[in-house]
Amino acid sequence: QVQLVESGGGLVQAGGSLRLSCAAAGRTFSFRGMGWFRQAPGKEREFVAGIRFGNGNTAYVDSVRGRFTISRDPNKNTVYLQMDNLKPEDAAVYHCAADIGAGYSTWGQGTQVTVSS
């Protein structure tokens, strides 16, 4: 079994920063990678950033590239999303997810990010 727990969300002014954390427990050795997704009210869930565990490659949606950074600490089984220069349109519930070989199939409960203008 795998469990993902996000933390670090909150309220921040536009231009500010937050760092989200996603702690994984369980069969983490099976992970091929992890990612962050977000969903705003009335919108579909959107891929934000991902990191592959084998080669460390990262990927970002265009709207956050250069502002957000995904990283991991394998010793803590934790993946981070550093979010800088936040914009009101970044406000959403952010979920982390794990890819165990068939796409992102394991999800955390989410953490709310609110950005005031």
Side-chain angles (χ1 to χ4, degrees):
Q1 304 297 332
V2 174
Q3 184 178 21
L4 304 177
V5 178
E6 302 99 332
S7 61
L11 171 64
V12 64
Q13 287 187 332
S17 298
L18 284 174
R19 188 177 79 155
L20 305 183
S21 300
C22 176
R27 299 171 60 88
T28 58
F29 60 84
S30 64
F31 288 9
R32 302 294 187 270
M34 292 183 68
W36 287 95
F37 293 75
R38 65 187 179 188
Q39 188 165 21
K43 295 187 177 181
E44 294 187 354
R45 185 171 60 197
E46 173 188 40
F47 170 81
V48 176
I51 184 167
R52 307 309 297 173
F53 285 6
N55 55 22
N57 284 353
T58 58
Y60 299 90
V61 67
D62 286 346
S63 60
V64 309
R65 189 173 291 112
R67 299 188 297 121
F68 290 11
T69 304
I70 188 170
S71 62
R72 66 181 285 237
D73 183 342
N75 294 324
K76 296 181 179 179
N77 289 327
T78 300
V79 170
Y80 303 96
L81 185 67
Q82 177 66 41
M83 305 186 296
D84 297 319
N85 190 20
L86 281 160
K87 303 177 180 181
E89 53 263 40
D90 294 318
V93 176
Y94 283 70
H95 298 265
C96 68
D99 175 1
I100 58 174
Y104 292 105
S105 58
T106 300
W107 298 84
Q109 82 289 351
T111 186
Q112 178 72 50
V113 172
T114 304
V115 184
S116 63
S117 57

